[in-house]
């Protein structure tokens, strides 16, 4: 995919703020600090366009990035970050639920998991939530650069089994560090754009 234009359109916390129009959207989901914003940056060849941080909890709002005036990546705050209050967690839950269950422009979720470790309970819950609402899901198993290539397939198998990935959904081994899996990810998204 040749990226000609990227634009940060809005940071939304409620429905009224979502962008107007009918462009398809792909929303990132995943544990805090797993690499969601880094995934977006790698895909669009920008260093820190979607803000990243070594501290979890960087992304706090639904950030709509318009790509090539053709579709949106929606960066979503991560889950599983211990240092948040109950009230914050509830607000997060409402924001995510509203977006994922009502947004007609949403074509697929990109569930980002860490290839190094089996998916967490929260990852499994998130996948079950997405499947409950019949949202097509592409699983991106990232940080592949942190384990030897010889272990990738075994770890991918564990991830698929732990999530109970359905045959319609694909898992792609990825690295925001090396660009591994980038072409494959674009290939998988192509059918919706
Ligand atoms: N080695 C390596 N590090 C990565 C990779 N992807 C992300 N990171 C690092 O992981 C940290 C978190 O990345 P982010 O992209 O900010 O994570 P996030 O999921 O957007 O986090 P929140 O916004 O807090 O939910 C940063 O220090 C990144 O540099 C990867 O593929 N390989
Ligand atoms: Mg982020």
């Amino acid at each position: 995919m040749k990226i000609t234009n990227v634009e940060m359109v809005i940071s939304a916390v409620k429905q009224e703020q979502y962008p107007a129009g009918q462009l398809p959207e792909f929303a990132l989901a995943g544990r805090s600090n797993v690499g969601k914003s880094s995934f977006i940056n790698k895909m669009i060849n920008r260093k820190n366009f979607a803000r990243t941080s070594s501290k979890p909890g960087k992304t706090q709002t639904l950030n709509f990035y318009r790509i090539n005036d053709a579709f949106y990546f929606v960066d979503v705050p991560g889950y599983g970050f211990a240092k948040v209050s109950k009230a914050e967690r509830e607000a997060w839950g409402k924001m995510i639920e509203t977006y994922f269950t009502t947004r007609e422009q949403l074509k697929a979720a990109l569930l980002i998991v860490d290839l190094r470790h089996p998916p967490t309970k929260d990852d499994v819950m998130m996948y079950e939530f997405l499947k409950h609402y019949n949202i097509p899901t592409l699983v991106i198993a990232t940080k592949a650069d942190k384990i030897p290539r010889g272990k990738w397939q075994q770890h991918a198998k564990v991830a698929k089994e732990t999530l109970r990935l359905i045959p319609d959904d694909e898992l792609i081994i990825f690295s925001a560090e090396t660009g591994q899996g980038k072409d494959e990810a674009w290939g998988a998204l192509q059918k919706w754009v």
Side-chain angles (χ1 to χ4, degrees):
M1 168 82 65
K2 190 172 181 313
I3 306 299
T4 52
N5 179 52
V6 299
E7 202 174 330
M8 162 65 184
V9 173
I10 192 165
S11 284
V13 288
K14 45 188 178 185
Q15 249 176 329
E16 305 86 85
Q17 300 168 319
Y18 300 168
Q22 289 304 318
L23 294 181
E25 291 174 8
F26 303 109
L28 283 289
R31 200 163 50 70
S32 187
N33 217 35
V34 70
K36 297 177 295 302
S37 301
S38 300
F39 170 82
I40 294 177
N41 288 331
K42 194 65 194 179
M43 291 294 280
I44 63 175
N45 315 313
R46 301 292 152 105
K47 270 261 135 61
N48 204 13
F49 189 76
R51 299 283 302 284
T52 64
S53 168
S54 53
K55 287 211 316 258
K58 183 75 196 169
T59 309
Q60 295 283 359
T61 50
L62 298 170
N63 297 337
F64 289 79
Y65 300 109
R66 192 168 59 217
I67 315 299
N68 288 358
D69 293 316
F71 65 92
Y72 287 92
F73 278 135
V74 185
D75 203 2
V76 174
Y79 45 76
F81 178 35
K83 272 194 195 144
V84 298
S85 67
K86 186 160 174 267
E88 281 174 308
R89 214 179 341 257
E90 278 168 8
W92 177 89
K94 265 219 162 75
M95 183 165 81
I96 302 309
E97 189 170 359
T98 302
Y99 176 79
F100 279 104
T101 63
T102 66
R103 188 65 167 163
E104 278 169 19
Q105 292 87 331
L106 176 67
K107 296 298 173 236
L110 303 178
L111 178 61
I112 315 286
V113 299
D114 190 330
L115 182 64
R116 294 173 297 173
H117 315 291
T120 64
K121 270 192 193 126
D122 286 339
D123 292 332
V124 174
M125 267 172 60
M126 187 72 212
Y127 186 67
E128 284 174 355
F129 167 84
L130 294 167
K131 292 302 94 182
H132 180 77
Y133 288 100
N134 293 318
I135 299 165
T137 303
L138 184 61
V139 176
I140 304 291
T142 195
K143 303 195 179 177
D145 58 282
K146 293 204 172 197
I147 56 169
R149 188 177 279 263
K151 291 193 171 161
W152 286 358
Q153 292 311 325
Q154 175 58 24
H155 284 231
K157 184 166 176 273
V158 170
K160 286 181 187 171
E161 286 170 359
T162 307
L163 293 172
R164 288 191 275 137
L165 199 75
I166 65 169
D168 282 352
D169 292 339
E170 202 179 328
L171 179 144
I172 292 173
I173 294 171
F174 191 84
S175 165
E177 206 57 37
T178 66
Q180 168 70 40
K182 185 176 156 178
D183 293 344
E184 232 181 310
W186 278 125
L189 296 180
Q190 217 90 66
K191 60 176 173 281
W192 292 291
V193 296

